[in-house]
Amino acid sequence: DIVMTQSPLSLPVTPGEPASISCGSSQSLLQSNGYNNLHWYVQKPGQSPHLLIYLGSNRASGVPDRFSGSGSGTDFTLKISRVEAEDVGVYYCMQVLQSPITFGQGTRLEIK
Amino acid sequence: EVQLVESGGDLVQPGGSLRLSCVGSGFTFSSHWMAWFRQAPGKGLEWVANMNPDASHKSYLDSVKGRFTISRDNAKNSLYLQMNSLRAEDTAIYYCARGNLHCFDFWGQGALITVSS
């Protein structure tokens, strides 16, 4: 199984400040077509997960441009350029390259 | 508007059975991979099973193989999860999700399964 490891697990951020979450995979997620099969989700309190970034760096429809994804192979980063109060929630990375589909442990973003 | 609505969540005794349903609308259901995920209380996300559009390919988490069966009825825009021999560790919110963009881009609101005596 591909093991996904996120850090930090808890992320207190002051509104307006940037935030960064790392996600590492135990195997490369780079496909032969050049895309990385790594995706980012946020689960806001009391809600179901919501797709933020797909294939490593593509923002999903309706996602603000202050969210960005980068990385390749085994190391990936989700960045929020300026955190807003509505960004509170748990952020997960997920790989769909290989079955079983696996997630990182989740990073809880909270507002200071 | 894409919608996925799960139903069938309930309290069930260990060893019991339950079937979850998920109805999709606002998109061409028959063209998409579909999946079930779950989230135990206070825990992270876990993939359970998925299947391709024509139901010719199905995959399962090892811990549910032989106990859970994923199926679909494209004529009814519906996805199902038949769960047998339920265990306490199967207690979770179960989400259905639509496959798209090489991932699962839209999730339902979830259905709670509690396995307890």
Side-chain angles (χ1 to χ4, degrees), chain A residues 39 41 43 48 92 99-100 103, chain B residues 39 44-45 95 102 104 107-108:
Chain A
H39 318 281
Y41 294 82
Q43 187 174 29
S48 57
Y92 295 93
S99 186
F103 292 88
Chain B
Q39 186 171 36
L45 299 170
Y95 298 99
H102 302 270
F104 292 91
W107 298 47

Side-chain angles (χ1 to χ4, degrees), chain A residues 25-109:
Chain A
S25 58
S26 61
Q27 299 176 36
S28 175
L29 303 181
L30 182 62
Q31 302 175 148
S32 57
N33 59 11
Y35 291 107
N36 287 278
N37 206 308
L38 183 284
H39 318 281
W40 291 96
Y41 294 82
V42 62
Q43 187 174 29
K44 296 184 179 182
Q47 296 184 16
S48 57
H50 177 77
L51 179 66
L52 287 172
I53 302 288
Y54 63 96
L55 294 174
S57 60
N58 299 277
R59 270 189 304 276
S61 176
V63 174
D65 60 8
R66 53 201 179 78
F67 288 90
S68 64
S70 63
S72 184
T74 61
D75 296 295
F76 300 90
T77 303
L78 176 70
K79 293 183 179 177
I80 309 173
S81 59
R82 296 174 307 280
V83 170
E84 298 185 2
E86 66 179 27
D87 298 334
V88 165
V90 181
Y91 291 76
Y92 295 93
C93 59
M94 177 184 82
Q95 69 80 23
V96 188
L97 180 68
Q98 184 182 109
S99 186
I101 293 169
T102 48
F103 292 88
Q105 314 96 302
T107 295
R108 184 175 300 276
L109 186 148

Side-chain angles (χ1 to χ4, degrees), chain B residues 5-24:
Chain B
V5 179
E6 299 96 337
S7 61
D10 206 347
L11 169 65
V12 61
Q13 292 191 339
S17 297
L18 207 59
R19 188 175 90 150
L20 293 179
S21 299
C22 169
V23 177

